[in-house]
Amino acid sequence: MPTPSAIPAASRPNVTPLTWVLGGLLLVNMIMVGVQGWFGLEWLLYPSAISLLAVFGIVLFVGGRVSRLFVWLTIAGVIITLLVIDEPGPVIWDGIKRGLFFQGFMASVFTLQEAALRSRMLQRIGLYLIGQPIQRRSIFVMLGTQVMAVMMNLGSLILIGTIATANKRDGEPPDAAQRQVALSSVRGFAPSSMWSPLAVPPIFVGTLLPGVNMAHVMPQAMLIAALMLLSAGVFTYLGGRGSATSTDMTGLPRVALPWASFAKLALMITLIFAAIKFASVTLSLSIATVVTLLIPLTSLIWLAVQCRGRLNDVVTGPIRNIIGVRLPQQASETTVFVAAGLLGPMVLAMVPFDAITGFFMANHVSPQIIAIVVFLATVGLSLVGVNAILTVTVAIALVGDPAAIGMEPTFYALVLLSAWSLCAQFSPFTATTIVAGRLFGVSPITLSFRWNGAYLAFCVLSGVVVIVAHGILF
């Protein structure tokens, strides 16, 4: 039976000088973006921009297929902007600033993932969740992954998957219990992206969508995420009916409820959210800037506690792993968001908003029809490999100001966030399903369509019904 200390907290693959450079650039950029956002030091944007371009160059050599595609799209966007726009300089510079913002924000969140993956507290919680009878286990894993995703991002999937498959032999197909855990972890993870201040989608939509107030969006997004979890719970529970319920299906005995660990986790999340809100109000800073500053500090304190205050151990262990492993591993995912941030202002500058708005008005296209098309297109295109961040960027650019076509910006933001959450859960090309598939030894396509197909159809149909109902009632 694996114990918390036996579960690897952070993998240490061989690193190359290039990965050290990449990790160092991302770390330095995170610091510069945070300091610039706090003190308004515009001159820091110039070295940050040079660092961003260097990261793009490295990703072209060592990044994944999707990240390289987005880098080339960005290069093409810059060239087209130079050729088409009368004053391209301000547009490109605005894109660079947005790209820097996303790069710093995501790097800061990934530092917290390092501390969380090393936490014995979270490992004990994971062992407890996995050690339940199958139906209870499915619900507990779903809810636990949702909560842990706030702090760990994809690390929550890695933690749960590592524990659940600890006794699984290589090449062995997942059993019924592992299948349920895989589905529960994916279904629990995705909705957190709608409401967590440490998730990218709310920050991305709130930054690019005109007229939206995320303070109004987030509570409603949390309600939608809760409804998603409720429906997922029903599907997960029904899926576990008739399966064996013994606790030895995962090779793990049932463990005592770790009250102290749950209490510490709840306290940590509460303190982090409260500190973000307090700093944002007190310092008059955006939530994203506060996260970029506060989360690395939180991670450093947490790592120091884990290392019992031994500074040398902090530097030679987790800090070294953050620079040499954690940030380079996430560079491809980070680059996709950075590139989309760069492309946003360029696309916006080239879209004829007046013509589009005039077309919508002249043809009496209702806001609900537009919302349904955007919702279905975002989810549908993700199923064939089109990343949601690109679809959402185009959807925001095409609609422009939602209020101009009679659509509430808050409503449109919720449509985009809901669609994005479904993409994370059901697309076989997202990091969510790829990581879960690798951990549980199943193809992402099987996980997304064969195992999760009925729930996919239910979620898409429910989304359309809700949009139509909103149009009728409001």
Side-chain angles (χ1 to χ4, degrees), residues 122 141-152 156 188-189 192 195 229 262 265-266 269:
L122 293 178
V141 166
M142 185 182 67
L143 296 176
T145 307
Q146 166 82 183
V147 175
M148 289 192 290
V150 175
M151 302 181 67
M152 301 176 70
S156 60
F189 171 79
S192 67
W195 61 269
L229 286 174
F262 276 107
L265 176 60
I269 293 177

Side-chain angles (χ1 to χ4, degrees), residues 14 23 27 42 62 94 97-98 105 109 129 146 151 157 167 186 204 226 272 294 307 381 408 412-413 416 431 454:
N14 293 327
L27 184 66
E42 291 294 319
V62 301
D94 187 30
K97 289 193 290 185
R98 292 192 183 190
F105 176 85
V109 173
L129 299 176
Q146 166 82 183
M151 302 181 67
L157 290 177
N167 297 320
V186 170
F204 187 88
I272 289 174
L294 184 63
C307 295
L381 290 174
E408 298 175 0
Y412 193 45
L416 295 173

Side-chain angles (χ1 to χ4, degrees), residues 7-59:
I7 300 170
S11 58
R12 281 186 175 277
N14 293 327
V15 297
T16 66
L18 196 59
T19 57
W20 281 110
V21 172
L22 181 58
L25 287 172
L26 291 170
L27 184 66
V28 170
N29 244 12
M30 178 195 73
I31 296 172
M32 289 194 293
V33 168
V35 172
Q36 190 278 326
W38 188 1
F39 296 103
L41 303 176
E42 291 294 319
W43 62 269
L44 271 179
L45 292 172
Y46 298 103
S48 299
I50 295 173
S51 177
L52 183 149
L53 295 177
V55 170
F56 269 26
I58 295 174
V59 169

Side-chain angles (χ1 to χ4, degrees), residues 277-295:
K277 181 65 175 179
F278 176 79
S280 176
V281 173
T282 304
L283 301 175
S284 299
L285 298 174
S286 68
I287 290 179
T289 298
V290 172
V291 167
T292 306
L293 290 165
L294 184 63
I295 293 305

